[in-house]
Amino acid sequence: MEILISGASIAGPALAFWLSKDGHKVTIVERAPELRDGGYKVDIRGAAIEVARRMGILEEIRAASTNMREARWVDRDNRTLAVLPADFFEGRTGDDEEIMRGDLARILYDRTKDVVEYVFGDSIAALDEGPDGVLVSFERGPDRRFDLVIGADGLHSRVRALTFGDEAQFVKHLGAYVSIYTTPNYLNLDYAELFYGSVDRLVSVYSARDNSEARSLFIFNSPRLDFDRRDAKSVLAQHFDGESWETPRLLEFMRDANDFYFDSVSLVEMPGWSRGRVTLVGDAASCPSPASGQGTGLALVGAYVLAGELAAAGGDHVAAFACYERIMRPYAQANQKFARRAVKAFTATTPGQVRVRNAMMRVLHYMPWKGALAAPTTRLLQRAANDVELKSYQ
């Protein structure tokens, strides 16, 4: 079949990898002018590790690992409150791995660029399904017909909007916003991450790519905001105006950041992911939000299952889409449930909570059994990350 995928981040190229192996002709359209290099460090754990192994990219992922060693909590005067292993905060165990989102995107692109048609700098304008396929109108390129169209285009999916309607029906705000962008590693962090928190705010900066650069991460609590996305940098600056620690310096770097990202911490919850010859995968279908630490995992596993079910159904997309959703929906819901719980721990909401948290960090630093305190949360995260049975598709 000729299959169009919208989105060249993680889910799209991962799906293209499997579909092309099954003999399909795959096109990926991406609105960005080139492969996007920025973003968070992302965790690959549980079932996603097995999918990466089956793809043959696990060793490449390990070679590009962040190798993050420690996380340090500091106060407004940059005094260290606690130094803890990075895995303690991230809930990683066993074979779990961490990689920069841009590095994983590059690995997937390099594995697919010779067998997949990539169209950058364009996006889908309209979808018109007929009995023999979907006529796709593009913003810039000529109309084309495809057998299937798959939205792997994230939280604000264009394919989802065109097929199912306004995103307000499906995007559930969790009460926070997040921003990240690249900065110089001017603090000379050595495979380390710093955290500073105040009321309703959290700031983090961590080294990346063998300490050659850094990422600045901002989280703040807020009801849903109505703002122009082109003015997102001003929104972030406004919410952190007057904040102490390294915040003013980090905000200065924001002005020239060309990989600036800002969005709500939100879930995507839909009654169904498919309609006719169109379906969704990854964040477009079931975004678990950054609070889950599982967005990349759902993208990799969802791509594997969707391609596998299409192969198992012999190209019968109706049967394949139904089986794909039956397998993936409980997995997505388990990780979304974890996210609803985890988002509450991002920030303190009163001055008293800030003082209590800082005091706890000071004590935690000296506790030889501190791992036991993180164990319940780690078990919940690992349970959600493994809550799917992977078939061995032929």
Side-chain angles (χ1 to χ4, degrees), residues 312-379:
D316 180 349
H317 66 276
V318 175
F321 290 172
C323 290
Y324 152 68
E325 186 168 340
R326 177 179 55 79
I327 294 168
M328 286 298 298
R329 182 172 288 277
Y331 183 48
Q333 290 174 336
N335 285 282
Q336 290 180 333
K337 181 179 179 180
F338 178 83
R340 289 185 183 276
R341 178 180 184 272
V343 71
K344 299 174 183 177
F346 275 175
T347 56
T349 57
T350 67
Q353 287 183 4
V354 172
R355 289 192 293 270
V356 170
R357 184 181 61 191
N358 287 350
M360 289 179 61
M361 285 295 174
R362 290 190 185 95
V363 174
L364 191 64
H365 180 72
Y366 297 101
M367 287 182 177
W369 41 270
K370 51 182 169 281
L373 296 178
T377 299
T378 299
R379 282 197 297 270

Side-chain angles (χ1 to χ4, degrees), residues 4-278:
L4 174 66
I5 299 172
S6 176
S9 182
I10 304 300
L15 177 60
F17 173 90
W18 294 111
L19 292 176
S20 62
K21 279 187 172 295
D22 202 32
H24 300 295
K25 183 179 179 181
V26 183
T27 299
I28 294 181
V29 60
E30 166 58 49
R31 66 179 180 180
E34 58 187 7
L35 198 67
R36 290 177 293 155
D37 191 50
Y40 313 101
K41 51 187 177 65
V42 297
D43 288 304
I44 303 173
R45 57 168 66 86
I49 285 287
E50 178 57 26
V51 169
R53 183 177 287 114
R54 295 182 188 186
M55 294 179 78
I57 63 172
L58 186 54
E59 292 310 310
E60 289 181 75
I61 289 172
R62 296 207 188 286
S65 170
T66 64
N67 294 312
M68 203 62 61
R69 291 196 289 257
E70 68 176 33
R72 183 154 49 101
W73 275 87
V74 298
D75 64 13
R76 60 182 300 158
D77 298 315
N78 208 34
R79 292 176 298 200
T80 298
L81 302 175
V83 180
L84 300 164
D87 290 351
F88 176 90
F89 279 111
E90 306 296 342
R92 287 190 293 272
T93 62
D95 289 339
D96 295 354
E97 194 52 83
E98 183 182 68
I99 185 174
M100 300 307 299
R101 190 215 65 84
D103 291 343
L104 178 58
R106 176 63 61 180
I107 290 171
L108 294 171
Y109 173 73
D110 287 344
R111 284 297 185 102
T112 55
K113 64 183 180 182
D114 294 332
V115 292
V116 171
E117 177 191 8
Y118 278 86
V119 179
F120 288 100
D122 206 348
S123 61
I124 297 173
L127 299 172
D128 184 13
E129 182 171 343
D132 300 322
V134 183
L135 180 63
V136 180
S137 299
F138 294 93
E139 296 285 352
R140 293 181 175 83
D143 294 357
R144 295 172 61 179
R145 186 175 298 277
F146 295 90
D147 296 297
L148 301 177
V149 175
I150 300 169
D153 42 357
L155 179 63
H156 304 291
S157 169
R158 178 69 170 160
V159 172
R160 187 183 63 227
L162 290 170
T163 307
F164 297 93
D166 193 286
E167 71 174 41
Q169 307 170 73
F170 314 117
V171 177
K172 312 300 181 183
H173 183 56
L174 294 184
Y177 282 80
V178 62
S179 179
I180 191 164
Y181 51 89
T182 299
T183 68
N185 186 14
Y186 75 99
L187 293 171
N188 297 315
L189 299 174
D190 185 18
Y191 299 101
E193 182 169 10
L194 302 181
F195 289 94
Y196 163 72
S198 62
V199 176
D200 288 328
R201 299 168 177 173
L202 178 70
V203 183
S204 172
V205 58
Y206 53 84
S207 60
R209 293 174 174 164
D210 295 326
N211 301 327
S212 63
E213 60 188 40
R215 295 287 196 276
S216 294
L217 174 71
F218 296 80
I219 299 173
F220 65 90
N221 293 338
S222 171
R224 189 185 300 276
L225 299 173
D226 183 16
F227 65 96
D228 186 337
R229 292 196 166 274
R230 292 170 296 182
D231 199 35
K233 288 184 178 182
S234 296
V235 175
L236 182 66
Q238 176 185 346
H239 277 82
F240 283 85
D241 182 44
E243 187 57 88
S244 55
W245 188 55
E246 294 290 330
T247 308
R249 182 77 182 275
L250 296 174
L251 290 175
E252 287 179 13
F253 291 125
M254 175 186 68
R255 296 192 185 100
D256 298 323
N258 57 18
D259 62 348
F260 178 81
Y261 171 85
F262 178 87
D263 214 328
S264 64
V265 178
S266 297
L267 307 178
V268 171
E269 297 178 326
M270 302 181 66
W273 299 343
S274 305
R275 182 168 292 173
R277 293 175 174 270
V278 179

